[in-house]
Amino acid sequence: MTSARERFDTLVAEHGATVVGVCRAILRDEHLGQDAAQDALLRAWERLRDGVGAPTAPAAWLRRIALTSALDLRRRRSLRDDDARHVRAPSPVESSVESPAVHAEFAELRARLDRALETLSDRERTVFVLRHDGGLTLAEIADTLGVATPTAKTQFARACVRLQAALARFDPKRSDTDAR
Amino acid sequence: MPDERGRELLALRLYDELDADEARELDARLAADPGLRAYADELDAGLGRMPRLGAAVAPPAYPRVRGARRWWPLAAAFAAGVLVTLAVDAWREPTAPAPRPDAPVGFGRDAPPIAAPVTGRFARLLRSAR
């Protein structure tokens, strides 16, 4: 009979990457994602140690804990009106951008994408980022959220269409032309 | 503008999420709706077929952006880079968290590094809908 510690170590080995991926996708920030993942794994450890809710489907169980942890952190940061999450260090791609003008376009587009994501409902945004960034299949997302797969698929598709409409107005080519 | 159902199906196709019935439905809609066909052509022609990244791409996951520049206009390539930013953000060494007293070994700083699967398909969402 495996101990709680052994089961936990196995879970981390098999699903730790998924936990971090889920958290980072929800929080859209590397450091916050790691923080939430830490919290999620600690919660999982405590439940295993205390014999509470031994998972029959460990992967889905851990994903749900990760999602809860990430959403909790997101809500706490929203309540604190913490602007730090909107300030990001430039990515390697951004840092490699050669001209200030292109860098400015880059930054503007990123800001538009961030705003577009915020226009989605909580569920649409969750489904979208988990599919697009979190590495989960729609079936896994549905399982995590406790909905049917067709429901998750519809929510994902609608999120895509809404984001597309929100972002379609941004055209760097037109911006270049206007600037000349 | 093409009907919403058609656009939803096209979005699912971008992410390879169509089942057989949905694929047939999309084909029927494309056959019947010139506007939807034009919209689909714009998506494909303007941004091209993005190469897939497997789940195990080693960080930093930016070769995709460099690859994209061979195929797309510069603006679309930078848009793809922005989307990489959404997925991965600055690829920095994570700061080590304060150790928790009863935390078992194996998480936190020991957690495996993660390579988020970056598809880049999000760039297609930038195309104007008709």
Side-chain angles (χ1 to χ4, degrees):
Chain A
M1 183 174 168
T2 55
S3 68
R5 173 59 187 274
E6 288 168 338
R7 278 183 285 143
F8 178 78
D9 286 348
T10 300
L11 277 177
V12 172
E14 293 178 358
H15 307 294
T18 299
V19 169
V20 179
V22 166
C23 291
R24 188 171 52 207
I26 293 294
L27 292 159
R28 304 200 332 270
D29 183 278
E30 177 68 27
H31 294 277
L32 294 177
Q34 293 279 353
D35 285 349
Q38 288 273 9
D39 188 58
L41 291 173
L42 179 61
R43 293 185 194 188
W45 162 244
E46 289 172 344
R47 292 181 193 183
L48 283 175
R49 181 197 61 195
D50 299 339
V52 176
T56 53
W61 177 77
L62 204 49
R63 286 197 302 268
R64 281 192 284 272
I65 293 175
L67 179 61
T68 301
S69 175
L71 291 175
D72 283 349
L73 181 55
R74 191 173 190 271
R75 258 190 302 275
R76 288 199 302 272
R77 293 180 67 82
S78 292
L79 288 172
R80 287 207 310 267
D81 195 28
D82 187 337
D83 290 331
R85 68 187 170 93
H86 298 297
V87 179
R88 300 182 189 176
S91 70
V93 171
E94 291 174 320
S95 299
S96 69
V97 168
E98 295 165 359
S99 79
V102 173
H103 183 84
E105 280 180 14
F106 202 75
E108 182 187 352
L109 180 58
R110 186 184 68 189
R112 286 173 178 256
L113 290 171
D114 287 347
R115 287 196 295 272
L117 279 170
E118 293 301 318
T119 65
L120 301 180
S121 69
D122 288 347
R123 178 53 60 88
E124 287 174 343
R125 183 173 52 250
T126 297
V127 171
F128 180 83
V129 297
L130 287 178
R131 175 60 182 83
H132 180 76
D133 297 336
L136 301 185
T137 65
L138 286 176
E140 288 171 336
I141 294 168
D143 190 34
T144 303
L145 297 175
V147 302
T149 299
T151 300
K153 180 181 275 192
T154 299
Q155 291 167 341
F156 175 71
R158 287 180 182 165
C160 287
V161 171
R162 289 181 60 182
L163 287 170
Q164 187 162 13
L167 295 170
R169 290 181 287 276
F170 179 79
D171 188 338
K173 292 178 184 174
R174 277 203 294 274
S175 298
D176 278 337
T177 302
D178 290 340
R180 295 191 190 118
Chain B
M1 181 179 294
D3 70 286
E4 184 160 338
R5 175 61 179 166
R7 285 182 287 140
E8 288 178 1
L9 290 172
L10 281 172
L12 290 173
R13 187 174 75 174
L14 289 176
Y15 286 83
D16 294 325
E17 289 287 355
L18 288 179
D19 61 28
D21 289 340
E22 289 163 339
R24 279 192 288 273
E25 181 187 350
L26 177 58
D27 287 343
R29 287 177 177 269
L30 287 168
D33 186 345
L36 188 64
R37 284 200 301 276
Y39 179 77
D41 289 344
E42 187 181 75
L43 287 176
D44 287 342
L47 297 176
R49 276 292 195 193
M50 293 195 182
R52 290 197 198 190
L53 278 178
V57 173
Y62 296 105
R64 166 176 290 277
V65 177
R66 292 196 289 275
R69 290 176 184 174
R70 294 199 299 270
W71 300 350
W72 303 325
L74 185 64
F78 284 123
V82 167
L83 305 170
V84 169
T85 299
L86 263 182
V88 178
D89 206 358
W91 200 265
R92 295 170 290 184
E93 288 297 320
T95 54
R100 300 178 192 255
D102 61 346
V105 174
F107 81 109
R109 79 187 71 188
D110 295 323
I114 301 309
V118 177
T119 66
R121 291 185 182 89
F122 195 19
R124 298 180 184 189
L125 297 175
L126 297 175
R127 301 304 298 174
S128 298
R130 290 192 179 166

